[in-house]
Amino acid sequence: MLRMMLNGKIHRAVVTEANLNYVGSITIDQNILDAVGMLPNEKVHIVNNNNGARFETYIISGERGSGVICVNGAAARLVQRGDVVIILSYAYVMNEEAQSHKPTVAIMNQDNSIDQIIHYEPEATVM
């Protein structure tokens, strides 16, 4: 049996741009992608902490060091510049590996730099 487990998380990134006239996707600074093990074209879930919107899209690599978090296409209607979002990726793992699987979580600063990398989901996280 396979289980879908959290694999990468960008926690509390700030939306830098919302581009309605783009084909679709979310553009993320490549340095952030590298830190959490996410890849261009990978499916992600996005949760908007400001309005509760939840949606899926795929990743486009953004300029390294830019801090860009740009929601593109129709999903741009679900965010505004300055909104705080959580970006989640998942991986299928064998049932035997599920108990020991550890996600990579980037805790973000207000400028979309990484404050810390952790490999667990803290209980009752308040940040």
Side-chain angles (χ1 to χ4, degrees):
M1 177 171 58
L2 293 172
R3 292 184 183 259
M4 185 186 299
M5 306 293 287
L6 177 65
N7 196 54
K9 178 178 181 183
I10 302 169
H11 187 75
R12 298 190 58 83
V14 177
V15 174
T16 59
E17 189 178 347
N19 186 345
L20 183 61
N21 295 314
Y22 193 81
V23 175
S25 70
I26 184 169
T27 305
I28 303 173
D29 178 325
Q30 184 62 51
N31 287 345
I32 299 170
L33 294 177
D34 291 347
V36 295
M38 293 181 189
L39 298 172
N41 301 309
E42 183 173 355
K43 179 180 176 178
V44 288
H45 288 112
I46 296 138
V47 180
N48 185 330
N49 283 9
N50 292 75
N51 64 20
R54 299 175 73 93
F55 55 96
E56 298 175 344
T57 191
Y58 63 92
I59 297 169
I60 289 180
S61 175
E63 181 182 343
R64 286 185 181 281
S66 65
V68 66
I69 302 289
C70 178
V71 179
N72 301 302
R77 293 200 181 275
L78 302 174
V79 300
Q80 294 183 36
R81 187 172 187 233
D83 282 357
V84 173
V85 295
I86 298 170
I87 304 164
L88 308 156
S89 70
Y90 302 90
Y92 288 102
V93 298
M94 295 300 295
N95 193 48
E96 300 77 28
E97 300 170 49
Q99 293 296 325
S100 62
H101 177 76
K102 304 282 187 218
T104 301
V105 179
I107 308 297
M108 306 302 290
N109 290 313
Q110 288 290 320
D111 63 355
N112 286 340
S113 62
I114 297 171
D115 181 54
Q116 64 179 318
I117 297 284
I118 58 177
H119 295 282
Y120 59 95
E121 190 68 20
E123 183 181 343
T125 306
V126 177
M127 297 186 170

